[in-house]
Amino acid sequence: MKRKIVMIAFILLGMGMTASAQFGKKINLGKALQAGKDVVSAVTLSDADIANMSKEYMAWMDTHNPLTKPDTEYGKRLERLTGHIKEVDGLKLNFGVYEVIDVNAFACGDGSVRICAGLMDVMTDEEVMAVVGHEIGHVVHTDSKDAMKNAYLRSAVKNAAGAANDKVAKLTDSELGAMAEALAGAQFSQKQENAADDYGVEFCVKNGIDPYAMANALTKLAELAKDAPKASYAQRMFSSHPDTQKRIERTKAKADSYAKK
């Protein structure tokens, strides 16, 4: 039986910001900076720090959400769709399905790609793969890494006193939950979304999938958002977004360029 997931964002709606790093000290999550302090700009995180955080975050997500078994209907469909995709641009990938009702998916900087059963229920195989390609695009373009960095800063920085340390502390369960909440409230820029859309189309072409699947997936998500409750996240962030139709038109035009070859 599907349970509703609380702490996932990422999908095609967008997330992501930028962070400033000026000094060489790293923050200890146990003594995170007070919200609103100017010291936030002084925090620096290495790629290794963010990679470790991504692994911890995914372990937390997989613990707090029901991963489907390989022998289930969703598991078998996932293997059929993604079993041949082992890595992209040198990044090793691992796929999973959360048996939750959300129409959603995301990819993390450690190569983890998670698809919600709700998305698989409403989309064709090709549309699912277009969404997967879009999310992988955010990772390849380092959008997901930047988002993780900012989620760390937004959720972890609580108390400036003694926060500086030479090593980023291991995240606690509550801190990982706070990071998930911060990620859920973030957004990618329009430029980042367009680049991920383009990657999604190219991903489809490379894997023998209809290049129009990206536009079809966006169209379907926009239609679903229209019927969603007015207070829902999808209604607020997708159906009313002024650039949604432009994104659909862009992806169609990009698909046209491949169809004419």
Side-chain angles (χ1 to χ4, degrees):
M1 186 175 186
K2 296 175 194 174
R3 295 190 286 111
K4 183 169 178 62
I5 193 169
V6 179
M7 298 294 188
I8 289 186
F10 296 89
I11 192 85
L12 310 177
L13 313 182
M15 49 156 283
M17 300 169 290
T18 58
S20 173
Q22 302 294 331
F23 306 118
K25 293 289 186 178
K26 302 185 183 80
I27 195 158
N28 185 315
L29 272 175
K31 299 178 180 179
L33 301 169
Q34 187 73 26
K37 294 274 187 179
D38 292 339
V39 196
V40 170
S41 63
V43 177
T44 182
L45 294 170
S46 70
D47 285 349
D49 290 331
I50 297 172
N52 288 333
M53 262 187 261
S54 296
K55 290 178 181 178
E56 289 183 44
Y57 175 76
M58 285 311 307
W60 186 90
M61 288 295 289
D62 288 351
T63 298
H64 288 76
N65 295 285
L67 269 171
T68 194
K69 302 295 183 183
D71 60 349
T72 63
E73 179 182 345
Y74 292 117
K76 292 176 181 177
R77 185 182 177 193
L78 177 70
E79 175 62 23
R80 177 166 53 81
L81 292 177
T82 66
H84 63 291
I85 304 173
K86 305 302 182 183
E87 64 176 57
V88 172
D89 292 354
L91 176 68
K92 292 184 179 180
L93 302 175
N94 68 88
F95 297 88
V97 176
Y98 289 150
E99 291 197 25
V100 295
I101 62 174
D102 298 56
V103 181
N104 214 338
F106 71 93
C108 201
D110 69 334
S112 297
V113 182
R114 298 294 181 266
I115 308 165
C116 293
L119 184 135
M120 297 184 81
D121 288 341
V122 301
M123 292 199 172
T124 66
D125 287 354
E126 293 191 330
E127 290 166 353
V128 169
M129 290 304 288
V131 172
V132 167
H134 173 100
E135 298 304 329
I136 291 174
H138 279 308
V139 174
V140 171
H141 300 149
T142 74
D143 302 339
S144 298
K145 182 181 75 172
D146 294 340
M148 181 66 70
K149 182 177 182 178
N150 281 279
Y152 174 90
L153 295 177
R154 291 177 62 197
S155 65
V157 189
K158 304 289 184 189
N159 186 351
N165 202 327
D166 291 332
K167 186 177 181 180
V168 173
K170 185 176 177 62
L171 296 140
T172 66
D173 188 78
S174 61
E175 288 161 350
L176 285 162
M179 181 175 287
E181 188 172 7
L183 285 168
Q187 280 189 293
F188 286 128
S189 69
Q190 191 62 36
K191 181 179 179 180
Q192 289 172 318
E193 290 295 352
N194 287 341
D197 288 344
D198 290 346
Y199 191 95
V201 176
E202 294 162 2
F203 179 84
C204 287
V205 173
K206 290 178 182 178
N207 288 281
I209 299 167
D210 179 8
Y212 292 97
M214 187 75 255
N216 294 340
L218 284 168
T219 300
K220 185 168 288 185
L221 286 168
E223 290 173 350
L224 288 170
K226 290 179 182 178
D227 298 325
K230 290 184 178 180
S232 73
Y233 183 78
Q235 177 64 240
R236 295 197 316 272
M237 298 299 292
F238 198 80
S239 63
S240 61
H241 200 294
D243 294 309
T244 299
Q245 189 57 40
K246 289 181 180 179
R247 287 176 63 191
I248 293 171
E249 292 170 358
R250 281 188 76 263
T251 52
K252 282 183 178 179
K254 190 167 183 66
D256 284 341
S257 68
Y258 282 107
K260 292 175 182 177
K261 291 181 180 178

